[in-house]
């Protein structure tokens, strides 16, 4: 399973990259805004810095909502670095954009996906990644992991190549269930990446080993 970091924070990306367990980064306009990045030039420079800090790809969402605007923005984004994956929402225009970009060999991530049918549409349109939002589904009382399980089954049944990228992760259980389901990628907030290696028995065991050694 690939692990992506769900952040636009440079320090978090630098630190997590050093762990050697991060395969990519996902951002969204809210995460970018949180970093206080202002204006087109600054935003582009920020994405370029993210690319410098890690080896994998980075999903960046288009802001335009019209087809031509989204396509133009997509081309601007990949001119910053070819590892940028263009994120477009699972809307009618978003799907058309994904279809067009996929024909041009440009990698896309269909975002804000909340149903199996949206995932089906994104896969058929040629999305490289499809991002179901597990946490936001649960916020509405929907069994988000159940929806993701159906997507995994659909991908298997019809041999789609699109990778399922579980987003909006809020608990460790989300990650553990994704492992069991065989989800391709999970994008995690930084705090969760830190909990991957944290275990009280490791800490206690290490203390005891060192005590015994010094004694
Ligand atoms: C990443 O691609 C998504 O935009 C992100 O995981 C959304 O997370 P949130 O629901 O916690 O905002």
């Amino acid at each position: 399973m690939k692990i992506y970091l769900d952040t636009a924070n440079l320090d978090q990306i630098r630190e997590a990259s050093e762990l050697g367990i991060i395969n990519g980064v996902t951002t969204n306009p809210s995460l970018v805004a949180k970093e206080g990045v202002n204006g087109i030039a600054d935003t582009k420079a920020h994405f370029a810095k993210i690319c410098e800090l890690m080896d994998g790809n980075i999903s960046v969402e288009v802001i335009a909502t019209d087809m031509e605007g989204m396509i133009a923005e997509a081309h601007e984004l990949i001119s910053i670095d070819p590892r940028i994956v263009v994120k477009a929402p699972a809307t009618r225009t978003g799907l058309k954009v994904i279809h067009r970009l996929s024909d041009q060999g440009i990698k896309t991530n269909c975002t804000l996906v909340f149903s199996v049918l949206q995932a089906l549409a994104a896969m058929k349109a040629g999305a490289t990644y499809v991002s179901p939002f597990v946490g936001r589904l649960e916020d509405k009382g929907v069994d988000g992991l159940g929806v993701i399980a159906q997507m995994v089954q659909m991908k298997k049944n019809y041999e789609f190549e699109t990778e399922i990228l579980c987003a909006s992760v809020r608990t460790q259980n989300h990650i553990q269930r994704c492992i069991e389901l065989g989800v391709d990628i999970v994008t995690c907030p930084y705090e969760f990446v830190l909990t991957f290696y944290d275990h009280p028995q490791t800490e206690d065991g290490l203390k005891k080993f060192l005590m015994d050694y010094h004694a």
Side-chain angles (χ1 to χ4, degrees):
M1 186 176 72
K2 289 181 222 161
I3 302 166
Y4 284 13
L5 193 62
D6 199 19
T7 187
N9 182 281
L10 300 179
D11 291 335
Q12 292 181 353
I13 294 167
R14 186 178 298 109
E15 177 62 27
S17 292
E18 284 176 6
L19 286 173
I21 61 173
I22 299 302
N23 305 103
V25 166
T26 50
T27 67
N28 63 36
S30 309
L31 290 171
V32 174
K34 234 164 98 178
E35 297 312 308
V37 183
N38 274 314
I40 295 177
D42 265 13
T43 310
K44 280 182 161 181
H46 194 80
F47 292 136
K49 268 187 221 149
I50 293 180
C51 291
E52 262 171 42
L53 290 176
M54 51 110 218
D55 294 331
N57 67 36
I58 162 185
S59 286
V60 180
E61 199 156 332
V62 289
I63 303 298
T65 49
D66 65 295
M67 172 110 174
E68 295 315 319
M70 286 161 96
I71 300 276
E73 227 181 287
H75 283 278
E76 243 182 90
L77 286 173
I78 57 166
S79 74
I80 301 171
D81 193 298
R83 283 177 295 143
I84 288 185
V85 173
V86 179
K87 241 179 158 185
T91 58
R92 186 191 299 206
T93 313
L95 286 171
K96 287 185 191 173
V97 167
I98 286 168
H99 184 51
R100 171 99 67 93
L101 293 176
S102 135
D103 275 351
Q104 295 171 355
I106 295 170
K107 286 189 174 173
T108 57
N109 178 347
C110 186
T111 188
L112 291 165
V113 170
F114 296 94
S115 75
V116 177
L117 290 184
Q118 282 182 314
L120 173 66
M123 288 181 184
K124 290 188 72 75
T128 319
Y129 306 99
V130 60
S131 292
F133 278 39
V134 66
R136 292 195 197 188
L137 276 166
E138 288 182 359
D139 291 345
K140 298 283 181 198
V142 178
D143 173 14
L145 287 164
V147 172
I148 292 180
Q150 290 169 347
M151 289 178 193
V152 172
Q153 189 60 52
M154 174 177 72
K155 175 177 158 146
K156 210 178 276 170
N157 288 349
Y158 300 103
E159 297 178 353
F160 284 115
E161 282 176 13
T162 305
E163 291 190 67
I164 298 173
L165 191 166
C166 176
S168 190
V169 163
R170 306 262 168 84
T171 65
Q172 262 196 352
N173 185 50
H174 286 154
I175 303 168
Q176 279 168 21
R177 287 284 297 133
C178 280
I179 294 169
E180 288 163 25
L181 291 170
V183 168
D184 301 293
I185 308 162
V186 176
T187 188
C188 305
Y190 181 67
E191 308 77 69
F192 283 102
V193 172
L194 300 184
T195 67
F196 279 26
Y197 54 80
D198 244 358
H199 198 286
Q201 280 188 279
T202 306
E203 296 298 322
D204 291 348
L206 184 59
K207 262 187 221 149
K208 174 92 172 69
F209 282 155
L210 294 177
M211 244 166 53
D212 290 345
Y213 176 83
H214 290 297

